[in-house]
Amino acid sequence: MSVEPEVSRAIIQLMQGVVYRESDEDVWATLERSPAAVRDHFTDIGVEVVIADAEGFAYLRSAPQDDDELPRLVRRRALTYNVSLLLVLLRKRLAEFEALSGEGRLVLTHDQIVELLRTFQAESSNEARVTDQAERTIKQATALGFLRPLRGQEEQWEVQRVLKAYVDAQTMADFETRLRRYAGADE
């Protein structure tokens, strides 16, 4: 059984990372036209294709398994505290942005992202160290695909909507609860 070249391209693109409607139009059209062919390919190897039509992105994740008969193809990544913190803060900003404007892209400057992180970092007299840590965190979030630097606009980053799939409402609520407890411990 041969697979159409367009389906093969969609499969390969998904294996390389998140597919976005706006930047991968041909692949997205294939996902809309032949979702079953793409899903069938991955089902046999224990991988699930997630297509978020409303958000305009698609990605792969390990299919839920009752027993560990198959090894994980999609690896889980342990995130540092700072990266986890940044992702939750970005997700919160994305939710606020969508509530206010509904459409468009959330773009933040380097300084805005650093300031988001600074609020939750321990006071330090070494400003350079705080900035270096924030820059490392931004690079890690970019490498994971949650931030994208804007071409031709230095120091500006687009928050990728795929973040919504990784940081859900429950995670945000748990984070808010921890912050309230933390703030209460300081009083």
Side-chain angles (χ1 to χ4, degrees):
M1 176 165 144
S2 126
V3 177
E4 296 176 30
E6 297 83 23
V7 172
S8 293
R9 275 193 282 287
I11 289 168
I12 291 168
Q13 195 76 24
L14 280 166
M15 292 173 72
Q16 292 174 340
V18 179
V19 171
Y20 293 97
R21 178 188 301 129
E22 59 191 33
S23 60
D24 303 309
E25 293 175 8
D26 292 341
V27 172
W28 190 264
T30 301
L31 291 174
E32 288 181 322
R33 196 174 45 257
S34 307
V38 175
R39 283 191 168 107
D40 289 348
H41 173 81
F42 288 107
T43 299
D44 291 340
I45 58 173
V47 175
E48 184 178 338
V49 178
V50 178
I51 301 173
D53 284 316
E55 301 300 331
F57 62 83
Y59 65 97
L60 301 176
R61 70 175 171 206
S62 291
Q65 298 175 351
D66 293 333
D67 52 7
D68 291 329
E69 60 189 55
L70 292 174
R72 293 179 79 66
L73 181 61
V74 180
R75 293 185 181 171
R76 290 184 178 212
R77 296 180 180 122
L79 302 177
T80 65
Y81 167 78
N82 284 331
V83 172
S84 298
L85 174 64
L86 178 59
L87 296 182
V88 170
L89 294 171
L90 290 173
R91 177 63 175 92
K92 184 175 180 188
R93 283 292 294 268
L94 186 59
E96 292 166 355
F97 173 78
E98 289 176 341
L100 293 175
S101 67
E103 295 277 331
R105 308 178 302 173
L106 173 59
V107 176
L108 299 174
T109 65
H110 177 268
D111 292 341
Q112 288 172 315
I113 297 172
V114 170
E115 194 56 38
L116 277 174
L117 287 167
R118 185 184 319 270
T119 305
F120 296 95
Q121 291 179 335
E123 290 291 323
S124 173
S125 59
N126 188 343
E127 184 64 27
R129 194 175 102 206
V130 171
T131 303
D132 286 346
Q133 178 62 46
E135 287 175 1
R136 279 193 304 277
T137 304
I138 291 169
K139 283 180 185 174
Q140 290 171 325
T142 301
L144 292 169
F146 298 115
L147 286 173
R148 183 179 64 84
L150 295 183
R151 229 180 257 139
Q153 298 178 346
E154 285 188 34
E155 306 294 314
Q156 294 205 354
W157 304 86
E158 178 183 353
V159 178
Q160 299 292 288
R161 293 188 184 281
V162 72
L163 181 60
K164 294 167 81 173
Y166 288 87
V167 181
D168 60 10
Q170 182 61 47
T171 303
M172 288 176 49
D174 292 346
F175 182 74
E176 291 286 333
T177 302
R178 286 186 196 148
L179 285 179
R180 275 191 239 107
R181 267 193 251 134
Y182 178 74
D186 287 346
E187 296 173 0

Short mmCIF file of all heavy atoms in Angstrom, two decimals, residues 14-35:
data_model
loop_
_atom_site.label_atom_id
_atom_site.label_comp_id
_atom_site.label_asym_id
_atom_site.label_seq_id
_atom_site.Cartn_x
_atom_site.Cartn_y
_atom_site.Cartn_z
N LEU A 14 5.41 16.46 10.68
CA LEU A 14 4.98 16.23 12.06
C LEU A 14 6.09 15.60 12.89
O LEU A 14 6.25 15.91 14.07
CB LEU A 14 3.73 15.36 12.10
CG LEU A 14 2.42 16.07 11.82
CD1 LEU A 14 1.32 15.07 11.54
CD2 LEU A 14 2.05 16.98 12.98
N MET A 15 6.86 14.71 12.27
CA MET A 15 7.96 14.08 13.00
C MET A 15 9.06 15.08 13.33
O MET A 15 9.80 14.90 14.28
CB MET A 15 8.52 12.91 12.19
CG MET A 15 7.53 11.76 12.10
SD MET A 15 8.05 10.46 10.99
CE MET A 15 9.37 9.71 11.91
N GLN A 16 9.12 16.18 12.57
CA GLN A 16 10.13 17.20 12.81
C GLN A 16 9.69 18.22 13.85
O GLN A 16 10.52 18.95 14.38
CB GLN A 16 10.48 17.91 11.50
CG GLN A 16 11.19 17.01 10.53
CD GLN A 16 11.42 17.66 9.18
OE1 GLN A 16 10.76 18.63 8.81
NE2 GLN A 16 12.36 17.11 8.44
N GLY A 17 8.41 18.28 14.14
CA GLY A 17 7.94 19.23 15.15
C GLY A 17 6.51 19.68 14.89
O GLY A 17 5.78 19.08 14.10
N VAL A 18 6.13 20.75 15.53
CA VAL A 18 4.77 21.27 15.43
C VAL A 18 4.54 21.83 14.03
O VAL A 18 5.42 22.47 13.45
CB VAL A 18 4.55 22.39 16.49
CG1 VAL A 18 3.15 22.97 16.38
CG2 VAL A 18 4.80 21.86 17.89
N VAL A 19 3.36 21.58 13.50
CA VAL A 19 2.95 22.11 12.20
C VAL A 19 1.93 23.22 12.46
O VAL A 19 0.96 23.01 13.20
CB VAL A 19 2.33 21.00 11.32
CG1 VAL A 19 1.70 21.59 10.07
CG2 VAL A 19 3.36 19.95 10.98
N TYR A 20 2.15 24.39 11.86
CA TYR A 20 1.25 25.52 12.02
C TYR A 20 0.51 25.81 10.73
O TYR A 20 1.10 25.77 9.65
CB TYR A 20 2.03 26.77 12.45
CG TYR A 20 2.60 26.65 13.82
CD1 TYR A 20 3.92 26.26 14.01
CD2 TYR A 20 1.82 26.91 14.94
CE1 TYR A 20 4.45 26.14 15.28
CE2 TYR A 20 2.34 26.79 16.21
CZ TYR A 20 3.64 26.40 16.38
OH TYR A 20 4.16 26.27 17.64
N ARG A 21 -0.76 26.11 10.85
CA ARG A 21 -1.60 26.41 9.69
C ARG A 21 -1.02 27.57 8.88
O ARG A 21 -0.93 27.49 7.66
CB ARG A 21 -3.02 26.78 10.13
CG ARG A 21 -3.92 27.16 8.97
CD ARG A 21 -5.28 27.72 9.39
NE ARG A 21 -6.02 26.79 10.18
CZ ARG A 21 -6.58 27.09 11.37
NH1 ARG A 21 -6.47 28.30 11.86
NH2 ARG A 21 -7.25 26.18 12.03
N GLU A 22 -0.60 28.62 9.54
CA GLU A 22 -0.17 29.81 8.81
C GLU A 22 1.20 29.68 8.16
O GLU A 22 1.44 30.28 7.11
CB GLU A 22 -0.20 31.04 9.72
CG GLU A 22 0.68 30.92 10.94
CD GLU A 22 0.43 32.03 11.95
OE1 GLU A 22 -0.71 32.48 12.06
OE2 GLU A 22 1.40 32.40 12.62
N SER A 23 2.09 28.89 8.71
CA SER A 23 3.43 28.79 8.12
C SER A 23 3.64 27.52 7.31
O SER A 23 4.59 27.45 6.51
CB SER A 23 4.51 28.90 9.20
OG SER A 23 4.37 27.88 10.15
N ASP A 24 2.80 26.52 7.49
CA ASP A 24 2.92 25.24 6.77
C ASP A 24 1.61 24.95 6.02
O ASP A 24 0.99 23.92 6.23
CB ASP A 24 3.22 24.11 7.75
CG ASP A 24 4.47 24.34 8.57
OD1 ASP A 24 5.50 24.64 7.95
OD2 ASP A 24 4.40 24.23 9.80
N GLU A 25 1.22 25.86 5.15
CA GLU A 25 -0.10 25.79 4.51
C GLU A 25 -0.33 24.51 3.73
O GLU A 25 -1.42 23.92 3.81
CB GLU A 25 -0.31 27.01 3.60
CG GLU A 25 -0.41 28.30 4.37
CD GLU A 25 -0.51 29.51 3.47
OE1 GLU A 25 -0.64 29.36 2.23
OE2 GLU A 25 -0.44 30.63 4.01
N ASP A 26 0.67 24.05 2.98
CA ASP A 26 0.49 22.83 2.18
C ASP A 26 0.31 21.60 3.07
O ASP A 26 -0.57 20.76 2.82
CB ASP A 26 1.69 22.60 1.26
CG ASP A 26 1.79 23.66 0.17
OD1 ASP A 26 0.77 24.32 -0.11
OD2 ASP A 26 2.88 23.81 -0.40
N VAL A 27 1.12 21.51 4.11
CA VAL A 27 1.01 20.38 5.04
C VAL A 27 -0.33 20.45 5.77
O VAL A 27 -1.00 19.44 5.96
CB VAL A 27 2.20 20.36 6.03
CG1 VAL A 27 2.00 19.32 7.11
CG2 VAL A 27 3.50 20.11 5.28
N TRP A 28 -0.72 21.67 6.18
CA TRP A 28 -2.00 21.83 6.89
C TRP A 28 -3.16 21.38 5.99
O TRP A 28 -4.09 20.71 6.46
CB TRP A 28 -2.19 23.27 7.34
CG TRP A 28 -3.35 23.39 8.25
CD1 TRP A 28 -4.63 23.74 7.93
CD2 TRP A 28 -3.38 23.07 9.65
NE1 TRP A 28 -5.44 23.68 9.03
CE2 TRP A 28 -4.70 23.28 10.10
CE3 TRP A 28 -2.41 22.65 10.55
CZ2 TRP A 28 -5.07 23.08 11.42
CZ3 TRP A 28 -2.78 22.45 11.86
CH2 TRP A 28 -4.10 22.66 12.29
N ALA A 29 -3.10 21.74 4.72
CA ALA A 29 -4.16 21.33 3.79
C ALA A 29 -4.24 19.81 3.71
O ALA A 29 -5.34 19.24 3.66
CB ALA A 29 -3.91 21.93 2.41
N THR A 30 -3.10 19.14 3.73
CA THR A 30 -3.08 17.67 3.70
C THR A 30 -3.69 17.11 4.99
O THR A 30 -4.45 16.14 4.95
CB THR A 30 -1.64 17.14 3.53
OG1 THR A 30 -1.12 17.65 2.30
CG2 THR A 30 -1.60 15.63 3.52
N LEU A 31 -3.37 17.73 6.13
CA LEU A 31 -3.95 17.28 7.40
C LEU A 31 -5.47 17.44 7.41
O LEU A 31 -6.18 16.61 7.99
CB LEU A 31 -3.33 18.04 8.57
CG LEU A 31 -1.88 17.75 8.87
CD1 LEU A 31 -1.35 18.67 9.97
CD2 LEU A 31 -1.67 16.29 9.25
N GLU A 32 -5.96 18.48 6.76
CA GLU A 32 -7.41 18.67 6.68
C GLU A 32 -8.05 17.70 5.69
O GLU A 32 -9.15 17.20 5.93
CB GLU A 32 -7.73 20.11 6.25
CG GLU A 32 -7.46 21.13 7.33
CD GLU A 32 -7.82 22.54 6.89
OE1 GLU A 32 -7.58 22.89 5.71
OE2 GLU A 32 -8.31 23.29 7.75
N ARG A 33 -7.36 17.43 4.60
CA ARG A 33 -7.89 16.58 3.53
C ARG A 33 -7.78 15.09 3.86
O ARG A 33 -8.67 14.31 3.54
CB ARG A 33 -7.14 16.89 2.24
CG ARG A 33 -7.76 16.41 0.98
CD ARG A 33 -7.04 16.89 -0.30
NE ARG A 33 -5.59 16.77 -0.27
CZ ARG A 33 -4.73 17.79 -0.07
NH1 ARG A 33 -5.18 19.01 0.10
NH2 ARG A 33 -3.43 17.60 -0.07
N SER A 34 -6.68 14.69 4.49
CA SER A 34 -6.42 13.26 4.74
C SER A 34 -5.99 12.98 6.18
O SER A 34 -4.97 12.33 6.41
CB SER A 34 -5.32 12.78 3.79
OG SER A 34 -5.61 13.07 2.47
N PRO A 35 -6.77 13.42 7.16
CA PRO A 35 -6.33 13.20 8.55
C PRO A 35 -6.24 11.72 8.92
O PRO A 35 -5.36 11.31 9.66
CB PRO A 35 -7.38 13.92 9.39
CG PRO A 35 -8.59 13.97 8.53
CD PRO A 35 -8.08 14.06 7.12
#
